[in-house]
Amino acid sequence: FSQATLRVVAFDFGIKENILRQMAGIGARPVVVPATTKAEGVDALRPDGVFLSNGPGDPAALGYIIEQVKKIIPRYPTFGICLGHQLLGIAFGGETYKLKFGHRGANHPVKDVRTTRVEITSQNHGFAVKPESLPSDVEVTHWNLNDGTVEGLAHKSLPCFCVQYHPEASPGPHDSHYLFGRFRELMLSAKKQ
């Protein structure tokens, strides 16, 4: 894309530079904001979408951020990665738990339920979303083939989705880049309404 046509508010919980490159690659101009940004601050920036980045720590301890995410998701197409995935899982009504060992490094096979394709992924997290805690309006879109943990979610009525792994890390090397394209399509669709 020769120029950015979409504006994305990107929450910085520990965002990676390559995520910002991927956003530019889909024609989006990311505006990086601090983790403590309120929903009203997002509104003031008039974005086409919101991105929730990766980051360290226990997502359940971030209640102040989860409250803002709950306000944001009915307003904007939202995409989350890693910690962003866990925060969306909780905001959707689910719960998280600490993994015994966590998932670290590359070559983790993840199955996309919608396409049945297996992606080779890079991971770095210690918490996961409990599938049985999710409400009926949220679907699991990706599963970890090593241990059966949740690797992706999508809301059935809101334009919000997320993945536990790192598509920007490119271990496949391009297996998961479609997720950024999916985010672009959600934003373009919302702009038309």
Side-chain angles (χ1 to χ4, degrees):
F1 300 94
S2 58
Q3 62 183 22
T5 56
L6 297 164
R7 180 188 291 235
V8 173
V9 167
F11 276 78
D12 183 5
F13 308 127
I15 198 165
K16 293 183 183 179
E17 190 173 336
N18 205 34
I19 290 172
L20 302 177
R21 278 194 212 99
Q22 293 285 340
M23 291 290 177
I26 61 165
R29 182 168 61 90
V31 178
V32 180
V33 298
T36 54
T37 302
K38 296 194 179 307
E40 295 74 21
V42 172
D43 291 340
L45 294 170
R46 302 181 63 193
D48 297 300
V50 172
F51 175 76
L52 304 175
S53 85
N54 55 290
D58 182 352
L62 303 175
Y64 64 99
I65 295 174
I66 294 164
E67 287 309 308
Q68 300 311 308
V69 172
K70 286 179 181 178
K71 294 177 185 176
I72 289 166
I73 56 178
R75 302 179 193 177
Y76 304 103
T78 305
F79 176 27
I81 287 176
C82 194
L83 179 64
H85 159 86
Q86 297 161 6
L87 293 171
L88 273 174
I90 295 171
F92 288 159
E95 299 172 18
T96 56
Y97 65 99
K98 186 166 179 49
L99 294 164
K100 186 171 182 180
F101 300 110
H103 296 160
R104 314 284 176 209
N107 298 324
H108 291 262
V110 169
K111 183 175 182 177
D112 182 332
V113 175
R114 294 171 174 173
T115 66
T116 70
R117 288 186 63 227
V118 175
E119 302 167 35
I120 300 304
T121 69
S122 178
Q123 308 207 7
N124 187 20
H125 59 271
F127 293 84
V129 176
K130 292 182 185 175
E132 67 276 10
S133 72
L134 294 165
S136 60
D137 57 356
V138 177
E139 64 178 316
V140 175
T141 58
H142 296 75
W143 291 102
N144 186 304
L145 294 181
N146 286 338
D147 64 5
T149 53
V150 173
E151 291 282 353
L153 300 171
H155 199 280
K156 292 179 181 176
S157 58
L158 299 173
C160 302
F161 74 103
C162 52
V163 291
Q164 180 63 77
Y165 53 95
H166 289 272
E168 81 289 349
S170 306
H174 306 294
D175 293 10
S176 307
H177 286 182
Y178 70 93
L179 294 163
F180 291 95
R182 180 180 294 171
F183 186 39
R184 174 182 166 81
E185 292 308 311
L186 285 177
M187 290 188 286
L188 289 174
S189 179
K191 273 184 90 135
K192 292 176 186 172
Q193 296 176 358

